[in-house]
Amino acid sequence: MKLRIQAVTWQEDACVLIDQTKLPSQITYLTCRHYREVVDAIRRLAVRGAPAIGIAGAYAVVLAAREGVTPLEKALTEIREARPTAVNLSWAVSRMQALISDPKKIPLERLLQEAQAIHEEDLLGNERMAELGAALLAKGKPVMTYCNTGDLATGGIGTAFGVLRQGYEDKKISHVYACETRPVLQGLRLTTWELQQNEIPFTAICDNMAALILRDRDVGAIILGADRIAANGDAANKVGTYALAVLAKYHGVPFYVVAPTSTFDLHLGSGDQIPIETRPSSEIVGVLGNNQPPVALEVWNPSFDVTPHDLITAIVCEKGVIHRPEASTLKAILDKPSPH
Amino acid sequence: MKLRIQAVTWQEDACVLIDQTKLPSQITYLTCRHYREVVDAIRRLAVRGAPAIGIAGAYAVVLAAREGVTPLEKALTEIREARPTAVNLSWAVSRMQALISDPKKIPLERLLQEAQAIHEEDLLGNERMAELGAALLAKGKPVMTYCNTGDLATGGIGTAFGVLRQGYEDKKISHVYACETRPVLQGLRLTTWELQQNEIPFTAICDNMAALILRDRDVGAIILGADRIAANGDAANKVGTYALAVLAKYHGVPFYVVAPTSTFDLHLGSGDQIPIETRPSSEIVGVLGNNQPPVALEVWNPSFDVTPHDLITAIVCEKGVIHRPEASTLKAILDKPSPH
């Protein structure tokens, strides 16, 4: 049974989100009728994944406009800043904002159309990236993925996950190793769930076991997403990605980043300019449940890291494949017209 | 307050263990009067750490002999096989067994003396390794450690942890980065607790954040323990160690293994002969608590991995420092007489 999951939808004047904090044990939905409910959902990771929070952010703008928030500008800033690293969120808000020339004449109908267009384009982009990414793979090998990049993280079948799905269908992928992705366990909770829904054989591992798999299991590729890509190809993604990139290089395994053009931030020359979100220590020590230490622990919890472009074999976006990403190869692909 | 913790003690005819599964929230003791209680404690990780399970195993032999188990041989095999990877356990059992020439005349008193000697030698070895290891460090740098190697894992101040303690006292270590060590979180639960007891400043991180620390924080060394070291210097240790060794090499950070000679298994030519324990999937998915997936996940849970000797800068044992470990450098140090 290939269930079509939708992380974000627009239904009867509301933005409806799967509450991803409850997965995989419970499928519950949040019906957001106020933009602040969406902002809250983004902050507490009820909806996450760079493309998905872009889409949710666009619908949040629709809600704020319909609520008649004044100044609307302030609400837009709040939405834009709900999370700092993924550029898709501010990209979507800016695209919505561009439609508002006169704050006294908010084009409500046009805003909803634009949000739906952002959603639809993401869905189509996913399908294109799935084809382009699968074409990079050799026959019948296992691959590794990280964090969560499927239906739950996007508007369609996913970024990296779309490649997994297409690659498995094309018999280019035999098996998926899904890293658990500490601290919030998007891999163990969400990706395994999506792999089950799609009947793709997989093994879940702790992040610290990835090196062994890369050494011993003839892995064809590591395939994962991104939250923001700078003009030189440096890519921010879930913390732990940089380590995997180094391990991939050491073991001679191709390292593919799959992300739509909405994830690129060409205003930034390199990855060191990407803002990295630091999240609460409770996400790390929460794992101890009732077995908490008597004295609070000093903990560091960055949510993202930046992988330098020279560790990335290729970036797949809906406009094409950027082999050996750097400023020139990136520009050559991004200057192409959109495929849809 | 520098509390002297003892993972294993012999008190009034019993082997007394801290139940490490309850740490850090509760300090509870297990008073084992039957060898099978010790075997059970070893299996379920109530006592863990290669040297500590060697000592516990020796006391278990004392208990089995006092209980008059027949054939005693069978009990010894049970103790020896309680966990497969750390060689200290079978090393200790063999040393005890060598005292029994006639199964009809078990030297009860002598067995207890031998177990206590094993314990005492480990304690003295810890102190020697702490000095030797600290001498390798540059002044005032942060270091990184993995899993747990202190009082809880040994008969004294620890293997790698002893070096942390001595290094901090000597102002050679400014700060410790403690990796949480999935799946059983010995770093987050036990090492942080020991660091707090010893008033050493530290930051706990998820294992997948180590690469960032190595890249950005001028780390002076990675210092960790081992469970079995082959004749060529390949070292089995808690899963995740191999990944750290690769990351250390990439970032030019020295990688030190600290382990007593009881951890060396010179019968094995190389690390690929070391048996690797695979543990239950519940150790991985247990982290999800009540949020378990509706369909069980396929999970891989190896407890250990093997780091090839060429990724190890030096091995510190109580007989000396083995720089650039390989068969010849190992032999040169191990052939020396014991320092105590």
Side-chain angles (χ1 to χ4, degrees):
Chain A
M1 175 209 51
K2 296 196 182 180
L3 185 66
R4 177 73 179 86
I5 305 152
Q6 290 194 274
V8 188
T9 51
W10 181 261
Q11 290 173 45
E12 296 169 12
D13 299 328
C15 174
V16 179
L17 307 169
I18 294 185
D19 185 348
Q20 300 191 30
T21 65
K22 304 273 172 62
L23 289 173
S25 63
Q26 292 170 51
I27 303 179
T28 49
Y29 289 89
L30 300 166
T31 301
C32 306
R33 299 190 188 279
H34 304 285
Y35 82 94
R36 279 207 169 128
E37 294 170 327
V38 180
V39 169
D40 177 60
I42 293 172
R43 282 187 188 145
R44 64 184 188 79
L45 313 185
V47 60
R48 25 66 49 204
I53 65 176
I55 297 162
Y59 288 131
V61 173
V62 175
L63 291 172
R66 289 183 173 205
E67 289 175 68
V69 179
T70 49
L72 185 57
E73 188 67 34
K74 218 182 130 208
L76 266 50
T77 302
E78 221 176 303
I79 297 165
R80 191 193 297 278
E81 294 177 352
R83 291 190 71 198
T85 301
V87 75
N88 312 59
L89 185 55
S90 71
W91 167 85
V93 172
S94 296
R95 195 166 140 175
M96 299 293 284
Q97 198 166 18
L99 300 177
I100 306 166
S101 48
D102 178 356
K104 280 171 198 137
K105 284 187 208 151
I106 308 284
L108 293 181
E109 204 48 43
R110 184 73 191 79
L111 284 175
L112 178 58
Q113 283 165 7
E114 189 71 3
Q116 287 173 325
I118 287 172
H119 194 161
E120 177 71 11
E121 286 166 27
D122 193 63
L123 186 151
L124 293 173
N126 283 182
E127 286 166 13
R128 181 76 186 125
M129 291 188 288
E131 287 164 23
L132 291 167
L136 295 172
L137 304 175
K139 280 258 171 282
K141 287 206 178 187
V143 298
M144 181 177 287
T145 193
Y146 195 68
C147 198
N148 173 263
T149 60
D151 310 70
L152 293 169
T154 66
I157 58 170
T159 53
F161 195 89
V163 177
L164 301 185
R165 219 169 94 144
Q166 189 67 48
Y168 181 67
E169 208 172 293
D170 297 349
K171 299 194 175 7
K172 294 191 152 195
I173 291 174
S174 58
H175 194 89
V176 173
Y177 290 101
C179 297
E180 65 174 359
T181 318
R182 278 286 283 154
V184 185
L185 301 165
Q186 292 92 337
L188 191 63
R189 291 191 301 113
L190 309 179
T191 299
T192 55
W193 190 69
E194 290 183 339
L195 287 162
Q196 285 182 334
Q197 306 290 345
N198 285 280
E199 298 175 351
I200 299 172
F202 69 91
T203 306
I205 57 168
C206 294
D207 304 325
N208 60 17
M209 299 166 188
L212 292 185
I213 300 278
L214 295 177
R215 188 182 67 187
D216 299 336
R217 305 283 176 100
D218 191 28
V219 171
I222 295 179
I223 307 170
L224 40 67
D227 289 84
R228 192 183 301 219
I229 300 173
N232 69 345
D234 293 353
N237 191 44
K238 184 55 52 195
V239 68
T241 301
Y242 170 64
L244 281 186
V246 172
L247 294 171
K249 188 185 175 79
Y250 185 80
H251 294 95
V253 174
F255 188 85
Y256 298 126
V257 172
V258 185
T261 49
S262 56
T263 300
F264 289 71
D265 186 352
L266 304 180
H267 299 107
L268 305 185
S270 66
D272 50 16
Q273 296 166 265
I274 298 175
I276 299 295
E277 178 179 10
T278 302
R279 293 188 57 90
S281 61
S282 58
E283 288 183 350
I284 292 181
V285 297
V287 79
L288 297 175
N290 293 328
N291 194 4
Q292 290 292 323
V295 180
L297 299 180
E298 193 64 42
V299 161
W300 184 53
N301 184 16
S303 272
F304 301 91
D305 59 29
V306 175
T307 298
H309 60 275
D310 54 2
L311 292 177
I312 301 171
T313 310
I315 302 175
V316 178
C317 69
E318 78 278 16
K319 289 187 175 182
V321 178
I322 305 158
H323 295 279
R324 278 184 235 98
E326 57 177 39
S328 61
T329 53
L330 220 78
K331 195 170 181 308
I333 296 291
L334 294 183
D335 281 350
K336 288 188 180 182
S338 173
H340 39 258
Chain B
M1 173 209 51
K2 296 195 184 183
L3 184 67
R4 177 74 178 89
I5 305 152
Q6 290 194 276
V8 188
T9 52
W10 181 260
Q11 289 175 46
E12 297 169 13
D13 299 328
C15 174
V16 179
L17 307 169
I18 294 185
D19 185 349
Q20 300 192 31
T21 64
K22 303 274 173 62
L23 287 172
S25 62
Q26 293 172 52
I27 303 179
T28 50
Y29 289 88
L30 299 167
T31 302
C32 305
R33 300 192 187 280
H34 305 285
Y35 82 95
R36 280 209 169 127
E37 294 170 328
V38 180
V39 169
D40 177 60
I42 293 172
R43 283 187 188 145
R44 63 184 189 83
L45 313 185
V47 60
R48 27 66 48 204
I53 65 175
I55 296 161
Y59 288 132
V61 173
V62 175
L63 291 172
R66 290 182 172 207
E67 289 175 69
V69 179
T70 48
L72 185 57
E73 187 67 34
K74 218 181 131 210
L76 267 50
T77 302
E78 221 176 305
I79 298 165
R80 189 192 297 276
E81 294 177 352
R83 290 190 72 197
T85 302
V87 75
N88 311 60
L89 185 55
S90 71
W91 167 85
V93 172
S94 296
R95 197 167 137 175
M96 299 294 285
Q97 197 166 17
L99 301 177
I100 306 167
S101 47
D102 177 357
K104 282 174 198 135
K105 286 188 208 151
I106 308 284
L108 292 181
E109 204 48 44
R110 184 72 192 80
L111 283 175
L112 178 58
Q113 285 165 6
E114 189 70 3
Q116 287 173 326
I118 287 172
H119 194 162
E120 178 71 10
E121 286 166 27
D122 193 64
L123 186 152
L124 294 172
N126 284 180
E127 286 165 13
R128 182 76 187 122
M129 290 188 287
E131 288 164 21
L132 291 168
L136 295 173
L137 303 174
K139 279 256 172 285
K141 287 208 180 188
V143 298
M144 181 176 288
T145 194
Y146 195 68
C147 199
N148 173 263
T149 59
D151 310 67
L152 293 169
T154 66
I157 59 168
T159 53
F161 195 89
V163 177
L164 301 184
R165 220 169 96 145
Q166 189 66 47
Y168 181 67
E169 208 172 295
D170 296 350
K171 299 195 177 1
K172 296 192 151 195
I173 290 174
S174 57
H175 194 89
V176 174
Y177 290 101
C179 298
E180 66 174 358
T181 318
R182 280 283 284 149
V184 184
L185 301 164
Q186 292 94 336
L188 190 64
R189 290 191 301 113
L190 309 178
T191 299
T192 56
W193 190 68
E194 290 182 341
L195 287 161
Q196 285 183 336
Q197 306 289 345
N198 285 280
E199 297 174 353
I200 299 173
F202 69 91
T203 306
I205 56 167
C206 295
D207 304 324
N208 59 18
M209 298 166 187
L212 293 184
I213 301 278
L214 296 176
R215 187 182 67 186
D216 299 337
R217 306 282 177 100
D218 192 27
V219 171
I222 296 178
I223 308 170
L224 39 67
D227 290 83
R228 191 185 301 220
I229 300 173
N232 70 344
D234 294 352
N237 190 44
K238 183 56 51 196
V239 67
T241 301
Y242 169 65
L244 281 185
V246 172
L247 295 170
K249 187 184 174 80
Y250 185 81
H251 295 95
V253 174
F255 188 86
Y256 297 126
V257 172
V258 186
T261 49
S262 56
T263 300
F264 289 70
D265 185 353
L266 303 180
H267 298 107
L268 304 185
S270 68
D272 50 15
Q273 296 166 265
I274 299 174
I276 299 296
E277 178 179 11
T278 303
R279 293 189 58 89
S281 60
S282 57
E283 289 183 350
I284 293 182
V285 296
V287 78
L288 297 176
N290 293 329
N291 194 5
Q292 290 293 321
V295 180
L297 299 180
E298 193 64 41
V299 161
W300 183 54
N301 184 15
S303 272
F304 301 91
D305 59 29
V306 175
T307 298
H309 61 274
D310 55 2
L311 292 176
I312 301 171
T313 311
I315 301 174
V316 179
C317 70
E318 77 278 16
K319 290 189 175 182
V321 177
I322 304 158
H323 294 279
R324 278 185 235 97
E326 56 178 39
S328 61
T329 53
L330 219 81
K331 194 169 182 310
I333 296 292
L334 294 184
D335 281 351
K336 288 187 179 181
S338 175
H340 37 259

